[in-house]
Amino acid sequence: STDRTWKKASLLILGLILAATGLALLIALAATAAPAAPDDARQACVFDPVGADGFVYDLFRDYAVQAREWGYDLDIRAYTDEAVAANDLKAGKCDMAVLSGVRTRQFVKFAGSLDMAGGLQRYADLRKAIGAMSGPKAAPLMRANGYEVAGVVPLGKVFLFARDRAHLASLDKLAGKRIAILEYDRASRLITEEAGASPVPASIASLGPLFNNGSADLTYAPAIAYAPLELGQGVRPDGGMADFVLAMLSGQIVIHRDRFDADFGARSRAWVFDTLFDTTLARARKAENALDDDLWVAVSEQQTTQYRAMFRRVREQLWREEWYSHRMQRLLKKIRCAGDAGLAECSQESEGGTVY
């Protein structure tokens, strides 16, 4: 009787052990099969003046789909204030952010310097520059201070808009005028002062209203911002836009390096260039072509030469101040001269030396 009782107890204990082992195994298998761990989630802060209805935000949705293939689930948050998005990135609230190149300069100087004043004027040249930035040789330059630029797209040529088209007749006509500029962009301030005009500091959100209500006589923007900023209110009925490219605007994906795999940045840059460059450029061109023909004010060859000389003087001052990346300044000068060897600057010592 005692033996039978002992055997029953032994079998009961063995059964409990096997059950516990099976439960532990099931828990382990379930954990392994979980579709997404919390560590895979990342916060993406996307600046778009229009918010979640804007084309930059819409474009980033495609990027988020690709990011899932790389093992990251991006929670996208739209920002209509770029300063807030940049500050949230600094504060660590965002794992990545989509910002303009001008704003990116504070995180990664080389990449952010792409949008420099008078840097490039042709899309073919911009393709060369972004292609070089997206390649493996530029990888060390795309990282700085714990940040990395993981993708660059073109957002269009930047033009000068005036409430009175007569102000665009010559460089001298800008003297004494008020120009709304981005308050954090030193290059814009220097160019405005070089032209003898008065800068009116603004954010991207206030740039349009200041121009539209007459607080500023002129301002600058890419064509994709014409409708969102409602610049037509200030341009019509007597204004226009100069047919001269002041700069190229880019959109850049900035990440905290320690929150992604070591090869994420390089993989992302290559994918963005190969997949999104042409799509984004097509949107920029479409916005430019949508502007009414009567808005454009032709810029003479003499004016073009004067504008380029003024921009060169400002870039040379910023070279001495190390405001822009010297590597990017040299790269863009070489690209400009490769596209037009007849430019006066190609044989000048400006921005690090002659090209020819």
Side-chain angles (χ1 to χ4, degrees):
S1 174
T2 302
D3 289 343
R4 284 198 300 273
T5 300
W6 174 253
K7 287 180 180 179
K8 288 181 179 179
S10 298
L11 289 172
L12 180 59
I13 292 170
L14 180 60
L16 290 172
I17 293 172
L18 290 173
T21 302
L23 180 61
L25 181 60
L26 287 173
I27 292 173
L29 288 173
T32 303
D39 287 347
D40 295 331
R42 296 292 185 275
Q43 185 72 53
C45 303
V46 179
F47 166 66
D48 190 313
V50 185
D53 294 325
F55 105 86
V56 174
Y57 185 89
D58 186 56
L59 187 74
F60 194 78
R61 292 175 189 266
D62 296 335
Y63 180 83
V65 171
Q66 179 58 39
R68 281 198 289 273
E69 297 292 321
W70 298 330
Y72 294 96
D73 183 15
L74 301 182
D75 179 17
I76 312 174
R77 183 189 305 167
Y79 286 72
T80 55
D81 189 324
E82 188 180 30
V84 175
N87 287 335
D88 279 0
L89 178 66
K90 286 181 184 177
K93 296 178 182 179
C94 310
D95 299 301
M96 67 166 55
V98 178
L99 306 169
S100 66
V102 178
R103 185 76 72 169
T104 298
R105 194 194 65 83
Q106 65 184 297
F107 298 103
V108 181
K109 184 186 284 190
F110 176 77
S113 296
L114 173 66
D115 294 19
M116 73 177 64
L120 295 173
Q121 295 185 310
R122 306 188 312 167
Y123 284 130
D125 291 340
L126 185 62
R127 182 185 294 275
K128 291 179 183 178
I130 294 180
M133 295 167 69
S134 304
K137 290 184 179 179
L141 297 171
M142 301 295 280
R143 311 181 189 114
N145 307 312
Y147 298 99
E148 182 170 4
V149 170
V152 184
V153 293
L155 294 182
K157 299 172 179 177
V158 178
F159 299 100
L160 185 63
F161 293 85
R163 291 175 59 84
D164 184 343
R165 64 193 299 118
H167 297 160
L168 302 174
S170 70
L171 188 57
D172 294 338
K173 294 290 186 180
L174 297 179
K177 304 303 183 294
R178 299 161 300 169
I179 303 180
I181 66 168
L182 294 176
E183 56 193 351
Y184 54 87
D185 184 15
R186 177 156 173 71
S188 294
R189 176 175 290 276
L190 290 178
I191 288 171
T192 300
E193 293 172 348
E194 178 81 10
S198 300
V200 180
S203 65
I204 289 180
S206 64
L207 204 66
L210 286 171
F211 176 69
N212 294 336
N213 66 24
S215 297
D217 302 303
L218 304 98
T219 192
Y220 56 89
I224 60 168
Y226 185 80
L229 296 183
E230 300 180 331
L231 296 181
Q233 294 181 21
V235 170
R236 295 298 185 183
D238 302 317
M241 54 187 292
D243 191 9
F244 178 84
V245 181
L246 303 177
M248 291 284 192
L249 182 67
S250 68
Q252 307 198 9
I253 302 172
V254 188
I255 66 172
H256 283 280
R257 288 188 63 201
D258 60 357
R259 300 184 186 182
F260 294 87
D261 294 336
D263 64 345
F264 179 87
R267 187 191 314 139
S268 175
R269 284 192 297 275
W271 186 87
V272 168
F273 180 67
D274 292 340
T275 310
L276 298 183
F277 183 96
D278 287 320
T279 301
T280 315
L281 181 58
R283 294 291 291 267
R285 287 184 183 276
K286 182 179 180 180
E288 290 165 11
N289 293 333
L291 294 173
D292 294 335
D293 291 342
D294 67 329
L295 288 179
W296 297 93
V297 176
V299 175
S300 68
E301 185 174 342
Q302 180 182 7
Q303 283 179 271
T304 297
T305 300
Q306 290 176 332
Y307 277 129
R308 284 179 171 167
M310 179 178 68
F311 276 56
R312 185 172 63 250
R313 290 193 298 272
V314 169
R315 288 198 308 271
E316 185 62 19
Q317 178 176 339
L318 294 173
W319 172 283
R320 294 191 296 270
E321 295 178 7
E322 298 186 2
W323 176 262
Y324 291 134
S325 158
H326 283 183
R327 293 289 292 271
M328 180 59 77
Q329 284 197 255
R330 283 299 292 167
L331 172 63
L332 297 191
K333 181 174 181 178
K334 288 179 179 179
I335 290 176
R336 289 194 300 272
C337 291
D340 186 353
L343 292 175
E345 65 173 322
C346 301
S347 58
Q348 295 176 345
E349 294 291 339
S350 61
E351 297 180 271
T354 62
V355 173
Y356 301 120

